[in-house]
Amino acid sequence: MATDTPDMSDSKMKVQDVNAGVATDLPSDVDEKKLMRKLDGHIIPLVMLLYTFSFLDRVNIGNARLYKMEADLGLVGNQFQIAVSIFFVTYLFFEVPSNLVLKPLTPSRYIAFIAFGWGVIAMCTGFVHSYGALIAVRLILGVVEAGLFPGLNVYLTFFYTKKELALRVGYLFVSAAIAGALGGLLAYGIGQMDGVAGYSGWRWIFIIEGLPSIVLGVVSLFLLPNDIDHAYFLTPEEKKLATARHLRHYGFTESGQKFSKSDMMAAFKDWKVWMFCIGQFGVDTLLYGYSTFLPTIIRGLGQWTTAEIQLLTIPCYFVGAATYMGIAFLSDHKQMRGVFCLPNNSPRYGKRTTANGMQLTSGNAAGIMSSFIYPSTDGPRYIVGNAVSLSLVGMSACIYGFMWFWFARANKKREDGPLKSIHENLTEDELAELGDESPRFKYTI
């Protein structure tokens, strides 16, 4: 069944999936590169801004800690760590459900509601006066923010093919790094407002940094398209091309892009999804430990003022942003996911959405643990925290390496081997409906 791969850069050609032999006539008068520039120009900036301020409002508690937050609220022992980790409890419970309602509620309305809601709640953090109030606000913040990152991951699949996603999802991780650097810079400036209107500097950090999210929520309602058909910036011919591009890839059938309970359950039953869940837990342990406690770690390395500590966080995140961008670019350029980042191997919407939510839920569970592995008493070397983080990252690297090997081996078997008996009597359309379980499907590695 293998065929030669056509030149995808020529939008006038009839594209054909290398595995399935499914061909689609593309509009002859549309420049695909121009289409990509339009998609990137209208979708990516807003998506990046949303995740930048989401991540900022999530981890700015680490910056606020340096401005007498613990003393003002009377926090003792590990109460600060509990306040950090409690956010992830509700965050975990609502990630998968949030992904499942993304389409029914429409992305523009749901994401706008999320952004507006977390902005208001983040501002409320600046007005708490007790440990109990802080815990309550963090719990509610977890509920509201839970749907954003997994939702944006799924949302991008509405516009980009699996061969283009790594770079675009990479923009989200760049946004996280930008949020870290911006958080330090903003905290440095806002911290100078200590005493203004009788509020401590840490209160102003929460109040001011929550405002952009509220504005973004309103903007998203009007500028964020729900899908290709609602992309106001595309012409009818460009919409046809944007839709047809997905048919280059095996398994993107019409029914496969609708949610179904069987597809959802297929994600829970797939051992490969669970392997990536475990791997995500490992890498996110480092992500959340680093992003939340970096100011605390830097404070223990020398005799610096609070302002200097905030500024010293910026170079760390700058290197992180450059690394994210480089890896995402190489992953798309080389079309190698296993080496650089996680693959997208679920063509059916229900399974893809559920698997995405499961993976990110598992990863964010690491946020609960990472909140307790960097206690101030372990400074300045934080041996336990660093050892745990590096060990789990090493475990994740081994898992991803194994999955890369397994996917490559499975592709070779599907290419060389005969059909199994359960597949012999199925038509090509019926095989395509099997998604990644079809013997014609080729995993992206």
Side-chain angles (χ1 to χ4, degrees):
M1 292 299 295
T3 60
D4 292 334
T5 307
D7 182 3
M8 297 302 182
S9 63
D10 186 353
S11 62
K12 298 181 181 181
M13 296 186 63
K14 178 177 288 188
V15 296
Q16 190 172 19
D17 187 277
V18 295
N19 299 311
V22 177
T24 304
D25 288 317
L26 295 181
S28 59
D29 57 347
V30 180
D31 185 346
E32 187 171 356
K33 290 183 178 179
K34 181 180 178 181
L35 169 65
M36 290 297 295
R37 288 195 295 269
K38 275 193 172 183
L39 290 174
D40 287 343
H42 286 83
I43 294 174
I44 298 302
L46 187 52
V47 164
M48 288 187 68
L49 282 172
L50 282 165
Y51 193 59
T52 296
F53 285 98
S54 166
F55 200 83
L56 180 65
D57 290 336
R58 184 189 315 176
V59 302
N60 58 6
I61 190 171
N63 297 109
R65 185 185 194 184
L66 301 181
Y67 292 92
K68 301 184 295 182
M69 178 181 180
E70 289 174 289
D72 286 356
L73 296 181
L75 303 185
V76 295
N78 65 351
Q79 287 184 333
F80 177 81
Q81 285 79 5
I82 293 174
V84 171
S85 66
I86 203 71
F87 164 89
F88 294 99
V89 175
T90 47
Y91 193 100
L92 297 179
F93 278 110
F94 285 90
E95 272 190 300
V96 173
S98 291
N99 255 14
L100 300 182
V101 302
L102 179 67
K103 262 192 175 182
L105 296 180
T106 70
S108 61
R109 292 177 182 175
Y110 189 54
I111 292 175
F113 166 77
I114 289 174
F116 188 90
W118 94 61
V120 171
I121 296 165
M123 287 184 64
C124 289
T125 312
F127 298 101
V128 300
H129 289 277
S130 67
Y131 174 61
L134 177 63
I135 292 295
V137 169
R138 294 287 291 177
L139 282 169
I140 300 171
L141 186 63
V143 173
V144 177
E145 279 203 33
L148 187 73
F149 186 66
L152 290 180
N153 271 268
V154 173
Y155 176 72
L156 290 174
T157 67
F158 297 168
F159 301 92
Y160 298 98
T161 68
K162 68 177 184 177
K163 290 188 176 181
E164 300 157 352
L165 272 176
L167 182 60
R168 278 74 194 181
V169 173
Y171 290 139
L172 296 182
F173 289 102
V174 170
S175 300
I178 292 174
L182 187 63
L185 187 61
L186 287 175
Y188 167 71
I190 298 172
Q192 309 305 312
M193 296 178 63
D194 186 51
V196 174
Y199 289 127
S200 299
W202 68 267
R203 294 186 182 276
W204 284 116
I205 290 175
F206 287 115
I207 294 170
I208 292 178
E209 291 183 3
L211 285 172
S213 299
I214 296 175
V215 175
L216 280 173
V218 177
V219 171
S220 298
L221 183 62
F222 297 99
L223 296 186
L224 202 66
N226 290 323
D227 50 33
I228 291 173
D229 290 337
H230 293 86
Y232 56 89
F233 49 86
L234 297 181
T235 66
E237 288 298 301
E238 287 172 333
K239 291 179 181 180
K240 289 180 182 178
L241 173 59
T243 300
R245 285 170 0 104
H246 287 283
L247 298 180
R248 295 171 175 172
H249 304 292
Y250 191 83
F252 278 84
T253 62
E254 182 177 354
S255 65
Q257 301 319 300
K258 298 177 181 177
F259 178 80
S260 72
K261 183 178 179 180
S262 60
D263 286 339
M264 179 186 73
M265 296 308 299
F268 286 107
K269 296 175 182 178
D270 192 338
W271 68 272
K272 300 184 293 297
V273 174
W274 289 107
M275 289 294 286
F276 280 114
C277 287
I278 297 171
Q280 193 72 33
F281 180 89
V283 297
D284 279 2
T285 298
L286 178 60
L287 169 66
Y288 287 118
Y290 186 84
S291 59
T292 304
F293 292 99
L294 182 60
T296 301
I297 294 171
I298 292 177
R299 181 172 61 182
L301 296 177
Q303 299 297 320
W304 292 299
T305 65
T306 299
E308 289 172 334
I309 293 171
Q310 300 289 11
L311 293 175
L312 285 171
T313 64
I314 297 174
C316 305
Y317 287 109
F318 175 80
V319 174
T323 303
Y324 279 140
M325 206 66 246
I327 289 175
F329 174 79
L330 287 174
S331 178
D332 264 359
H333 181 69
K334 297 292 185 181
Q335 282 302 299
M336 297 175 67
R337 299 289 187 258
V339 179
F340 300 111
C341 59
L342 307 186
N344 177 31
N345 282 314
S346 299
R348 297 186 65 83
Y349 173 75
K351 183 175 182 180
R352 181 173 70 247
T353 301
T354 307
N356 181 274
M358 290 170 59
Q359 184 175 329
L360 294 176
T361 296
S362 300
N364 285 312
I368 298 176
M369 181 188 71
S370 64
S371 302
F372 295 94
I373 60 176
Y374 285 98
S376 299
T377 53
D378 283 1
R381 298 184 65 189
Y382 297 98
I383 294 175
V384 173
N386 290 333
V388 171
S389 297
L390 291 175
S391 298
L392 289 178
V393 168
M395 175 199 71
S396 299
C398 292
I399 290 174
Y400 296 149
F402 169 76
M403 294 307 298
W404 182 31
F405 169 79
W406 189 92
F407 283 135
R409 187 166 174 266
N411 282 346
K412 183 171 177 56
K413 282 186 175 181
R414 290 182 175 186
E415 183 178 345
D416 299 338
L419 290 177
K420 295 180 180 180
S421 58
I422 59 174
H423 298 139
E424 288 178 351
N425 296 322
L426 298 180
T427 65
E428 288 299 330
D429 287 342
E430 289 172 332
L431 287 173
E433 292 291 346
L434 297 176
D436 60 300
E437 298 300 327
S438 170
R440 301 277 191 255
F441 182 83
K442 185 177 180 180
Y443 292 108
T444 300
I445 59 173

